[in-house]
Amino acid sequence: MAEKRRRLSRDDWVAAALAALGEGGVGAVAIEPLAARLGATKGSAYWHFANRDELLAAALQRWEHDETDAVIALVSAEPDPALGLRTLLGAALSHPQEKLAVLLAGATDPLVEPVLTRVTVRRIEYLAELFTRLGFAAPVAKHRAALAYSAYLGTGQLWRTMRGTLPADQQAWQSYVDEIWRVLTTPGPPERAPVPDRAQSPRDSG
């Protein structure tokens, strides 16, 4: 007798959609290939979702919760903003190929773009809040937040395309994350006065 097939849950389909999104982009999130991947029928998907777009929306919602809401909640529980930032970097830079699944998969897709925009704005604003708590002035905190997010995106891109440029073992990886943290939290030189516009300098004007 053939083994009875396990009934797939909504979570099973969402997890498969997220995996496909990270591996093949938005186009990979389609009912028929996902059903084949899961060893299920298309009817199993339609039991939980009205259509493919509803499945994709559910996957994006899961990604936003797991990779943003839950991480911010974890970091916010740490009273020391410096340790909170280190925790955040550790969480964000672990398994970067999974963290960046949506960021690199379909930024121009009409379903993905608004979620991606909302998440990116929220993440950078939260980073700026951490740097403000560390004592940086608001403009500098915004710059540090953008720099931190750039390090996150860059690491993920290297992981996908040139993994050999990144540390290979766990100890070296932790040292890499620590170095990013030290660079981001080290105060820069005193703010300098703006350089005069040459077009308005006395020498040029007369």
Side-chain angles (χ1 to χ4, degrees), residues 46-60:
Y46 293 120
W47 178 263
H48 300 289
F49 305 97
N51 50 46
R52 173 263 186 189
D53 285 356
E54 190 173 296
L55 170 58
L56 176 58
L60 293 170

Side-chain angles (χ1 to χ4, degrees), residues 6-7 29 53 59 103 142 185 197:
R6 179 178 71 88
R7 176 175 293 180
V29 182
D53 285 356
L103 292 175
K142 291 180 180 179
T185 55
D197 187 340

Side-chain angles (χ1 to χ4, degrees), residues 91-176:
L93 295 176
S94 64
H95 306 292
Q97 76 280 14
E98 298 171 10
K99 311 294 184 184
L100 287 166
V102 175
L103 292 175
L104 301 176
T108 60
D109 184 270
L111 287 176
V112 175
E113 191 275 334
V115 178
L116 181 57
T117 298
R118 180 174 66 247
V119 165
T120 300
V121 169
R122 186 179 179 202
R123 288 174 172 182
I124 293 177
E125 286 180 346
Y126 184 70
L127 282 164
E129 179 185 324
L130 282 178
F131 284 112
T132 300
R133 290 175 57 202
L134 281 167
F136 291 96
V140 179
K142 291 180 180 179
H143 292 162
R144 295 286 173 122
L147 182 60
Y149 207 66
S150 297
Y152 162 65
L153 294 177
T155 297
Q157 185 63 38
L158 286 174
W159 189 276
R160 288 170 67 99
T161 59
M162 298 185 67
R163 192 174 301 186
T165 63
L166 295 171
D169 61 79
Q170 185 64 23
Q171 183 176 354
W173 183 263
Q174 291 303 319
S175 295
Y176 170 73

